Amino acid sequence: ERGWVNILVIGSGGREHAIIWKLKQSKVVKKIFCIPGNGGISQMAECTEMDILDFAKISEFVKDYDLGLTIVGPEVPLAKGIVDYFQKKNLRIFGPNKKAAQLEGSKVFAKQFMKRYNIPTAEFEVFDNPDDALSYFSTLNSKLSTVVKADGLASGKGVFVCDTKKDAEIVVKKIMVDKIFGSSGNKIIIEEKLEGEETSLIAFCDGKTILPLIPSQDHKRVFDDDKGPNTGGMGAYSPAKFIDTNDVKKIWDNFLEGIKKEALDYRGIIYAGIMQTKDGIKVLEFNVRFGDPETQAILPLMKTDLLDLFTATVDEKLDKCKVACKNGYCVSVLVASGGYPGKYEIKKEIFGLNDVKDAVVFHAGTKFKAGRYYTNGGRVLNVSAVDITLEKTISKVYKNIKKIKFEGMHYRRDIGRKGLKSS
Ligand code: AMP
Ligand code: GLY
């Protein structure tokens, strides 16, 4: 093996597979471990089944195997304080600490932070009991669209765009009275509905410097032309067509000012989900981690050593770094199990993965057993291709997906098409 540092990656999705795939190209990385990983990850990292919230056990594992850095994929361990736990034990870890992770873990915290630091966002009100929320609606026009959001983490399901007052009232009751998200629904936000194209702005942040990656666009609805229910993301492309860069600079400048003023330990990824409205760019949400599936459409274009960026972030040296990218585009299409995002079946054998030639397959819900791959989740594979024009990239990715087969599989046929329309 070439490198000298062993790494731990926490997570089990296409995002983590893409991070590991990219870290494998680093001259510095020796061996990669993953908790818990998936079928595809098991082919390039040593996977161990472990509860990703059992910080004591994970930190023992890190010590036993002398792992020089831990990268956290999903938000829940960050929001629950894995970074604070590791820091107390003098273990190097990439990600914001618990207090800073509230930017994703509490929508109330995030919105109030945006307001304090002049980061443009939808107008909003906070409520901590259903009666106040419901009487607020009586002050609104009954046809006014609103967005109701549970304060805490809800696996991406806590946001409801409501087109009538009646719908909004039903949602408030579900969240605050029926507690469908448990204590994540102790508070809610009611905000104005915005219209426009959404873009994901993902950046490294060491508390002093923001280093943006290329903009990307997710596709949240299950069917073509953004029809059907929401999913965890059906595909992404990058760079997404975009934007007044001055507005973006202002968002990041104000964000950093807030991080410094509030002395937040923010050394990780910051992700701003933005909407390009007719009144300019507005931030819909912050996430404190890489996007999934955006990462699968960003890292294949990146030339810079990913470990260098992780290290510089932890050491607060991002001001010395640049991100170099290949020319062209990356399109990443998610292949899902039959029935997803509703009830779906697993344990279907996946065929044709070896026939994929000029694209890379990042696994999400898969299992490797006796030389074969099987489905093991709703989101199964992300197929990512790179080429010089967006047209060519789209046809390359779909040509490769046709080689993959499993019972019930489905995917969107229009990932990246929005980028064509506007260019
Ligand atoms: P969030 O978790 O806040 O990003 O919300 C998830 C999704 O809900 C976003 O990606 C948007 O598609 C939608 N959304 C959130 N807030 C608004 C808003 N104020 N207006 C319209 N759509 C929204
Ligand atoms: N792609 C949306 C997310 O990662 O939250």
Side-chain angles (χ1 to χ4, degrees):
E1 307 241 16
R2 298 185 302 169
W4 56 86
V5 59
N6 293 325
I7 307 282
L8 173 64
V9 175
I10 296 177
S12 61
R15 167 182 56 202
E16 288 76 17
H17 194 182
I19 290 169
I20 289 168
W21 170 83
K22 182 66 186 157
L23 284 174
K24 277 300 240 198
Q25 299 161 26
S26 166
K27 287 188 280 292
V28 193
V29 174
K30 195 156 95 188
K31 190 162 179 191
I32 304 175
F33 294 77
C34 186
I35 296 175
N38 61 37
I41 292 174
S42 72
Q43 303 306 294
M44 50 174 72
E46 192 168 315
C47 294
T48 301
E49 281 297 328
M50 209 181 276
D51 177 0
I52 64 169
L53 297 179
D54 190 342
F55 303 156
K57 207 163 159 198
I58 299 173
S59 67
E60 283 307 312
F61 182 85
V62 165
K63 278 191 213 154
D64 289 348
Y65 287 89
D66 189 26
L67 310 184
L69 181 66
T70 296
I71 313 295
V72 187
E75 63 277 13
V76 179
L78 295 167
K80 294 211 184 282
I82 191 170
V83 170
D84 312 60
Y85 193 95
F86 269 51
Q87 284 173 351
K88 264 192 219 127
K89 300 208 175 280
N90 271 318
L91 299 171
R92 272 162 77 77
I93 186 162
F94 175 89
N97 72 3
K98 184 174 182 176
K99 194 168 170 210
Q102 287 180 92
L103 283 165
E104 176 165 0
S106 165
K107 289 186 187 292
V108 173
F109 180 90
K111 292 289 287 193
Q112 288 171 343
F113 181 93
M114 290 188 234
K115 200 167 166 183
R116 274 198 296 285
Y117 298 101
N118 239 331
I119 296 169
T121 188
E123 294 292 328
F124 68 102
E125 300 284 340
V126 178
F127 296 95
D128 61 10
N129 75 72
D131 296 337
D132 290 351
L134 294 174
S135 53
Y136 171 72
F137 286 121
S138 62
T139 69
L140 301 176
N141 177 330
S142 66
K143 295 217 173 60
L144 191 71
S145 296
T146 53
V147 182
V148 180
K149 302 184 173 185
D151 175 43
L153 293 178
S155 317
K157 297 187 175 74
V159 174
F160 299 83
V161 178
C162 303
D163 287 321
T164 64
K165 189 157 96 179
K166 187 107 196 58
D167 290 349
E169 283 169 354
I170 292 169
V171 167
V172 168
K173 284 193 182 121
K174 276 195 205 160
I175 300 176
M176 299 195 97
V177 182
D178 306 342
K179 296 275 183 194
I180 56 171
F181 304 120
S183 60
S184 284
N186 289 354
K187 290 184 191 169
I188 59 165
I189 283 174
I190 300 174
E191 67 179 35
E192 65 171 324
K193 180 182 170 187
L194 302 173
E195 312 266 0
E197 280 286 305
E198 277 183 61
T199 308
S200 305
L201 304 178
I202 298 176
F204 284 84
C205 172
D206 66 1
K208 298 171 179 159
T209 306
I210 293 267
L211 191 63
L213 303 176
I214 44 179
S216 55
Q217 191 170 48
D218 189 5
H219 296 66
K220 288 200 167 100
R221 304 293 200 94
V222 67
F223 300 129
D224 287 10
D225 302 315
D226 297 328
K227 302 241 161 63
N230 264 321
T231 70
M234 294 298 288
Y237 70 99
S238 80
K241 177 79 187 185
F242 193 62
I243 268 183
D244 177 348
T245 47
N246 258 335
D247 279 1
V248 173
K249 189 175 177 309
K250 198 180 136 202
I251 288 170
W252 289 137
D253 285 350
N254 293 1
F255 176 82
L256 267 182
E257 187 200 328
I259 293 294
K260 286 182 199 156
K261 279 219 174 113
E262 308 205 358
L264 295 173
D265 183 359
Y266 207 110
R267 290 177 285 159
I269 292 289
I270 178 70
Y271 162 149
I274 59 132
M275 198 174 260
Q276 303 182 57
T277 75
K278 60 179 188 337
D279 305 318
I281 291 174
K282 308 243 167 139
V283 176
L284 295 174
E285 62 163 343
F286 286 124
N287 294 319
V288 298
R289 44 152 182 95
F290 279 106
D292 188 334
E294 290 93 329
T295 306
Q296 297 90 303
I298 292 174
L299 294 184
L301 283 174
M302 193 193 275
K303 288 203 283 196
T304 313
D305 186 314
L306 185 57
L307 188 75
D308 286 349
L309 295 171
F310 286 142
T311 306
T313 305
V314 177
D315 295 336
E316 299 174 52
K317 288 186 177 144
L318 272 182
D319 58 329
K320 310 260 187 322
C321 293
K322 280 203 167 67
V323 180
C325 270
K326 293 178 189 161
N327 287 326
Y329 292 84
C330 182
V331 175
S332 182
V333 178
L334 186 282
V335 184
S337 290
Y340 177 81
K343 214 168 120 71
Y344 55 82
E345 291 186 344
I346 59 168
K347 299 188 174 166
K348 305 290 179 197
E349 186 172 355
I350 305 167
F351 300 97
L353 289 172
N354 286 332
D355 300 326
V356 173
K357 289 289 179 258
D358 45 4
V360 45
V361 181
F362 297 123
H363 290 228
T366 72
K367 212 172 180 127
F368 186 74
K369 211 173 134 192
R372 297 164 191 260
Y373 291 100
Y374 298 88
T375 65
N376 189 38
R379 299 163 82 215
V380 179
L381 303 164
N382 308 261
V383 183
S384 299
V386 168
D387 211 320
I388 208 71
T389 67
L390 187 51
E391 288 91 334
K392 282 189 177 163
T393 316
I394 291 171
S395 58
K396 196 186 256 185
V397 79
Y398 283 108
K399 195 181 79 201
N400 278 288
I401 286 185
K402 289 215 177 74
K403 299 172 184 167
I404 299 172
K405 296 262 174 317
F406 61 85
E407 196 188 313
M409 68 183 259
H410 69 98
Y411 56 90
R412 274 178 66 157
R413 318 276 157 153
D414 65 343
I415 305 299
R417 204 188 283 160
K418 273 188 212 158
L420 288 177
K421 261 190 226 154
S422 47
S423 60

